[in-house]
């Protein structure tokens, strides 16, 4: 039990929710073996929702695998939803928010169970993910079709990408009040830009009821948010940091990530819990997908909750294993004789062992597929270990669901990680001690000038790295490193093809390349290919006439000012951006937990709201 402390609960006051994300209906629909896997798991989730007598089903995006699902996929989805969510059982959830705002694209601009033409016994609420986001004419999502058919309550959809306003769906059951927020998928870089520009707001209700004190009101509201974004750090602007979400939330349901981490994890910085149910069907042969699949039974009583993981018993068994062949070289005798034959024999024995292990994943459910998914990843550094994986897989065509890619060879880097990040501390110290180092690219340039005796650069000039740093930091050019490094590599390959040195003389020839081509010449050639440096006008030149600016822009590199960088004042301390999340509100609040966030309002009435402005102050 999470965050409940064993509190007594009355069933009439507990909101029970079936939680599932990333169902990917229609994945590999044309595959004769795996084509039905997504539907079988989805149906099991619906059956669990009915047997557990939940009040609603909450989906976290990617209901469909394709933005435009084929006819069979759409038909199968509608069939399952009608079979398990339509009926005469009364719905115990009362809507308190303005439905025309939450479900503006629905036929009646209301939840489906209040439609007099429908008989809904189990409402389904869903945001969209990156696989089923709005596209095509009219910017319609496949969820819009389900909403029009009365099968799904589609909420959390964005309508204006110049700003993002997130309004909650307010629900009540007895003494428990639920503020349900939804953030459907938005491309990570675009969402990051909205945070940086202070254009993300989360609205909350400020009007208090007349029969409750502020303390009682706050204790009754539970703030639940569903998001569908990258959670793992994949680089700046390529994921949604949890810390950007407001601290008044109690629980965040995270979609998009397929690894099952359904047990709630506390974010100590924001004091809310995060649960990541993961996908209900594996859509890749990655290690994370081999973790047992679950859905969750979420129970909410006032501002407390518990989440019970429910294992899916119809998921196809999936066994993943990764082995470093270098570690097995002595045991297998790969240094002598035919290494490829020995590796193939070893792989065959390992696959047999994994197939046997997959039988432990069989649950006895009549609809569970028995033919397993098997993935053996072999890490190697010597290509003589490799063999034809497709031909190898044909031996298991009747015993494994993925015979074509049962083996995956992954080459190891020759250099160890420690060697690639070995920093010359003395050189860095000297670079930092130099006077007039006001720009981060100057720091990079000076560091490599100091360190070149210990760890010389073999291909790039130090000024090329400084240029990359300048473009990343000052111009926010995410492709700067790719453009410059790729250009250097292509020119170096051309040089080597002309020289055709022996293997032992390649390093010498690369050194000749660096001497024959200075950094400025290479940048000019790069500019000629269309990847040009930004022209930065110094502040004291900003008021010149257009004619004088035009004349300035025609100067040659030898006579023009050095890009005017000295006028932009970025210090070397800015190498490490700092993340600061600020929350602005019209009222003074001593704590995100102690102040009233939402209050009960009249049915379908338009309530007064204030806004949290959520920002990312990082550069």
């Amino acid at each position: 039990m999470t965050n409940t402390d064993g509190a007594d609960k009355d069933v009439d006051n507990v909101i029970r929710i079936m939680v599932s994300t990333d169902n990917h209906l229609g994945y590999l629909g044309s595959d004769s073996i795996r084509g039905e896997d997504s539907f079988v798991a989805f149906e099991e989730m619906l059956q669990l929702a009915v047997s557990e007598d939940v009040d609603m089903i909450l989906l976290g995006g990617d209901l469909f695998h394709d933005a435009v699902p084929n006819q069979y996929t759409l038909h199968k989805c509608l069939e399952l939803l009608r079979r398990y969510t339509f009926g005469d059982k009364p719905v115990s959830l009362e809507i308190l928010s303005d439905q025309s705002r939450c479900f503006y694209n629905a036929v009646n601009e209301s939840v489906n169970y209040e439609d007099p033409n429908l008989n809904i016994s189990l409402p389904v609420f869903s945001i969209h993910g990156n696989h089923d986001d709005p596209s095509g004419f009219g910017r319609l999502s496949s969820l819009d079709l389900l909403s029009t058919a009365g099968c799904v309550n589609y909420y959390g959809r964005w309508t204006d990408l110049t700003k993002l306003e997130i309004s909650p769906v307010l629900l009540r059951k007895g003494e428990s009040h639920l503020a349900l927020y939804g953030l459907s998928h938005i491309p990570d870089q675009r969402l990051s830009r909205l945070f940086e520009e202070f254009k993300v707001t989360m609205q909350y209700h400020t009007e208090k009821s007349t029969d409750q004190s502020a303390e009682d009101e706050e204790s009754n509201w539970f703030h639940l948010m569903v998001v569908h974004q990258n959670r793992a750090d994949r680089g700046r602007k390529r994921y949604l940091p949890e810390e950007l979400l407001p601290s008044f939330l109690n629980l965040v349901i995270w979609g998009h990530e397929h690894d099952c981490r359904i047990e709630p994890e506390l974010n100590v910085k924001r004091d809310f819990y995060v649960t990541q149910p993961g996908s209900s069907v594996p859509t890749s042969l990655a290690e994370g997908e081999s973790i047992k699949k679950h859905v969750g039974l979420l129970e909410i009583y006032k501002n407390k909750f518990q989440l019970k993981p429910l294992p899916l018993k119809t998921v196809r068994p999936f066994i993943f294993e990764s082995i470093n062949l270098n570690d097995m070289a002595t045991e297998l005798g790969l240094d002598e004789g035919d290494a490829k034959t020995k590796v193939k024999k070893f792989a065959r024995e390992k696959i047999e062992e994994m197939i046997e292990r997959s039988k432990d994943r069989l649950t006895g459910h009549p609809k569970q597929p028995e033919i397993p998914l098997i993935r053996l990843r072999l890490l190697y550094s010597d290509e003589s270990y490799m063999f034809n994986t497709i031909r190898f897989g044909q031996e298991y065509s009747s015993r494994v669901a993925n015979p074509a890619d049962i083996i995956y060879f992954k080459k190891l880097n020759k250099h160890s990680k420690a060697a690639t990040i070995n920093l010359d501390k003395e050189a860095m110290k000297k670079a930092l001690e130099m006077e007039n180092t006001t720009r981060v690219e100057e720091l990079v340039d000076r560091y490599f000038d100091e360190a070149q005796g210990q760890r010389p650069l073999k291909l790039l000039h130090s000024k090329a790295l400084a240029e990359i740093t300048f473009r990343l930091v000052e111009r926010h050019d995410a492709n700067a490193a790719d453009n410059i490094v790729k250009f250097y590599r292509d020119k170096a390959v051309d040089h080597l093809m002309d020289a055709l040195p022996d293997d032992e003389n390649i390093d010498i020839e690369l050194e000749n390349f660096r001497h024959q081509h200075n950094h400025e010449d290479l940048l000019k050639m790069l500019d000629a290919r269309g990847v040009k440096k930004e022209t930065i006008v110094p502040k004291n030149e900003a008021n010149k006439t257009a004619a004088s600016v035009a004349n300035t822009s025609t100067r040659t590199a030898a006579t023009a000012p050095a890009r005017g960088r000295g006028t932009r004042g970025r210090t070397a301390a800015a190498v490490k951006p700092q993340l600061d999340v600020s929350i602005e509100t019209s009222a003074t609040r001593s704590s995100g937990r102690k102040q009233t966030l939402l209050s009960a309002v009249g049915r379908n009435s338009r309530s007064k709201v204030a806004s949290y402005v959520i920002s990312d102050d990082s550069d």
Side-chain angles (χ1 to χ4, degrees):
M1 184 172 290
T2 302
N3 200 25
T4 60
D5 301 326
D8 294 332
K9 304 187 298 298
D10 182 352
V11 66
D12 294 330
N13 297 313
V14 176
I15 301 176
R16 293 167 58 83
I17 303 174
M18 179 62 63
V19 177
S20 180
T21 66
D22 297 272
N23 306 104
H24 286 272
L25 297 181
Y27 175 69
L28 290 183
S30 59
D31 190 304
S32 59
I33 298 177
R34 303 167 62 185
E36 292 293 315
D37 287 7
S38 61
F39 302 110
V40 171
F42 185 63
E43 182 175 14
E44 184 186 1
M45 182 274 293
L46 294 173
Q47 291 172 338
L48 286 171
V50 173
S51 64
E52 293 287 348
D53 193 25
V54 301
D55 298 303
M56 61 180 279
I57 296 173
L58 185 57
L59 304 179
D62 281 359
L63 174 60
F64 294 101
H65 185 69
D66 297 309
V68 184
N70 59 36
Q71 293 167 322
Y72 177 79
T73 299
L74 194 57
H75 172 268
K76 190 72 174 178
C77 178
L78 288 169
E79 175 195 342
L80 292 172
L81 288 174
R82 287 181 61 88
R83 182 186 305 169
Y84 293 99
T85 67
F86 280 48
D88 295 329
K89 176 191 170 186
V91 177
S92 56
L93 296 174
E94 181 184 2
I95 296 285
L96 303 178
S97 52
D98 182 356
Q99 299 190 55
S100 63
R101 190 170 185 177
C102 300
F103 312 106
Y104 74 96
N105 214 29
V107 173
N108 294 325
E109 295 187 339
S110 66
V111 289
N112 57 356
Y113 58 87
E114 291 191 355
D115 189 330
N117 299 312
L118 297 173
N119 229 11
I120 303 296
S121 62
L122 182 53
V124 179
F125 291 79
S126 180
I127 63 173
H128 74 246
N130 57 307
H131 279 258
D132 46 24
D133 62 346
S135 60
F137 180 74
R139 300 295 297 171
L140 291 176
S141 168
S142 52
L143 293 179
D144 285 302
L145 304 181
L146 299 183
S147 174
T148 302
C151 294
V152 166
N153 299 297
Y154 177 23
Y155 81 107
R157 173 178 174 174
W158 37 259
T159 57
D160 182 1
L161 284 183
T162 63
K163 59 182 178 180
L164 185 60
E165 296 181 357
I166 304 174
S167 303
V169 179
L170 305 182
L171 302 166
R172 178 171 63 192
K173 180 184 178 184
E175 298 176 359
S176 297
H177 297 70
L178 173 63
L180 178 60
Y181 296 84
L183 176 58
S184 292
H185 177 78
I186 296 176
D188 292 302
Q189 290 190 350
R190 180 174 293 172
L191 181 60
S192 178
R193 184 166 63 250
L194 292 175
F195 275 114
E196 288 178 350
E197 296 174 356
F198 303 94
K199 293 181 179 179
V200 179
T201 60
M202 290 186 67
Q203 298 182 350
Y204 62 94
H205 184 64
T206 58
E207 191 174 285
K208 297 180 175 62
S209 62
T210 58
D211 59 343
Q212 284 182 306
S213 65
E215 291 78 7
D216 292 338
E217 185 77 7
E218 195 275 338
S219 66
N220 280 357
W221 281 104
F222 187 88
H223 313 118
L224 174 64
M225 186 171 188
V226 186
V227 301
H228 192 99
Q229 300 291 148
N230 282 328
R231 182 185 180 191
D233 187 349
R234 292 173 170 85
R236 185 173 178 268
K237 296 188 178 183
R238 294 183 180 179
Y239 77 112
L240 174 62
E242 294 178 12
E243 289 73 23
L244 290 185
L245 300 179
S247 59
F248 64 74
L249 295 172
N250 296 89
L251 177 65
V252 178
I253 297 173
W254 211 289
H256 187 61
E257 302 285 2
H258 284 203
D259 300 12
C260 183
R261 294 165 56 184
I262 197 167
E263 290 290 346
E265 303 168 7
L266 177 64
N267 184 302
V268 293
K269 293 183 179 179
R270 281 296 189 228
D271 194 27
F272 56 61
Y273 286 88
V274 180
T275 176
Q276 181 180 303
S279 63
S280 58
V281 61
T283 60
S284 68
L285 298 177
E287 185 173 7
E289 292 272 25
S290 66
I291 303 172
K292 289 184 179 181
K293 304 295 185 182
H294 292 76
V295 294
L297 175 59
L298 175 63
E299 292 184 321
I300 298 171
Y301 177 67
K302 295 187 177 181
N303 70 338
K304 302 181 184 299
F305 77 97
Q306 70 173 1
L307 182 64
K308 178 183 178 182
L310 301 176
L312 291 175
K313 298 180 179 180
T314 60
V315 177
R316 185 182 298 276
F318 178 21
I319 303 297
F320 178 98
E321 189 163 346
S322 180
I323 295 177
N324 189 337
L325 291 176
N326 293 338
D327 297 337
M328 305 288 294
T330 302
E331 180 181 344
L332 298 178
L334 301 182
D335 296 333
E336 301 176 358
D338 187 354
K340 179 170 66 175
T341 301
K342 294 178 181 179
V343 171
K344 185 185 293 187
K345 179 183 177 182
F346 168 75
R348 189 173 286 110
E349 294 172 352
K350 180 58 66 173
I351 294 297
E352 291 292 340
E353 175 192 326
M354 295 170 72
I355 293 175
E356 193 64 27
R357 264 195 290 147
S358 71
K359 296 178 181 179
D360 295 336
R361 297 279 185 99
L362 295 177
T363 62
H365 195 287
K367 290 192 175 182
Q368 184 187 25
E370 295 185 0
I371 301 178
L373 291 169
I374 301 293
R375 168 53 73 92
L376 177 60
R377 181 174 65 186
L378 298 176
L379 307 177
Y380 74 97
S381 56
D382 189 340
E383 294 185 359
S384 66
Y385 297 169
M386 299 180 67
F387 54 83
N388 190 318
T389 58
I390 297 178
R391 185 176 299 172
F392 177 87
Q394 290 176 351
E395 302 175 20
Y396 301 92
S397 58
S398 61
R399 303 175 60 200
V400 171
N402 60 312
D405 47 14
I406 192 172
I407 299 288
Y408 172 57
F409 279 100
K410 182 177 181 181
K411 190 169 186 178
L412 293 169
N413 294 327
K414 293 182 179 180
H415 301 288
S416 66
K417 185 176 181 180
T420 60
I421 61 173
N422 187 16
L423 184 69
D424 190 325
K425 295 181 180 179
E426 282 299 319
M428 177 59 72
K429 182 179 179 180
K430 291 181 181 179
L432 289 172
E433 289 174 349
M434 290 184 179
E435 297 181 358
N436 301 322
T437 303
T438 60
R439 311 193 58 77
V440 65
E441 61 268 24
E442 293 176 1
L443 177 62
V444 172
D445 196 12
R446 290 182 178 181
Y447 166 76
F448 280 102
D449 284 344
E450 289 292 333
Q452 63 181 355
Q454 298 294 328
R455 300 183 60 80
L457 294 170
K458 293 185 178 180
L459 179 60
L460 296 177
H461 296 95
S462 63
K463 293 186 180 298
L465 297 177
E467 181 68 22
I468 290 173
T469 307
F470 166 72
R471 297 189 183 194
L472 285 171
V473 173
E474 294 286 353
R475 293 171 49 186
H476 307 290
D477 182 1
N479 298 318
D482 287 341
N483 289 335
I484 294 178
V485 172
K486 183 179 179 181
F487 183 76
Y488 260 84
R489 182 194 66 191
D490 292 344
K491 297 303 293 182
V493 169
D494 290 342
H495 178 86
L496 292 176
M497 292 300 292
D498 290 339
L500 293 177
D502 296 331
D503 290 348
E504 60 271 16
N505 294 324
I506 288 180
D507 288 344
I508 298 175
E509 202 57 48
L510 286 176
E511 185 67 23
N512 293 336
F513 164 77
R514 294 179 76 250
H515 287 306
Q516 294 176 18
H517 299 83
N518 63 48
H519 170 63
E520 293 297 332
D521 290 340
L522 288 172
L523 274 187
K524 289 179 182 178
M525 287 187 278
L526 182 63
D527 290 348
R529 287 177 49 167
V531 185
K532 296 184 179 297
K533 296 185 293 182
E534 178 184 29
T535 301
I536 301 175
V537 181
K539 291 181 180 178
N540 58 4
E541 300 287 334
N543 295 323
K544 287 190 175 183
T545 64
S548 63
V549 173
N551 291 334
T552 302
S553 65
T554 58
R555 296 176 185 174
T556 63
T559 59
R563 291 199 295 269
R565 293 186 187 178
T567 65
R568 297 188 62 172
R570 185 176 180 89
T571 64
V575 176
K576 182 179 181 181
Q578 299 296 321
L579 185 65
D580 180 30
V581 180
S582 62
I583 300 180
E584 302 176 3
T585 130
S586 58
T588 303
R589 303 174 74 249
S590 59
S591 167
R593 287 289 186 192
K594 295 181 179 179
Q595 295 293 329
T596 300
L597 177 67
L598 296 167
S599 300
V601 298
R603 187 181 183 82
N604 293 334
S605 64
R606 187 178 296 275
S607 59
K608 297 179 181 179
V609 296
S611 298
Y612 275 100
V613 180
I614 309 173
S615 65
D616 175 9
D617 287 343
S618 65
D619 183 55

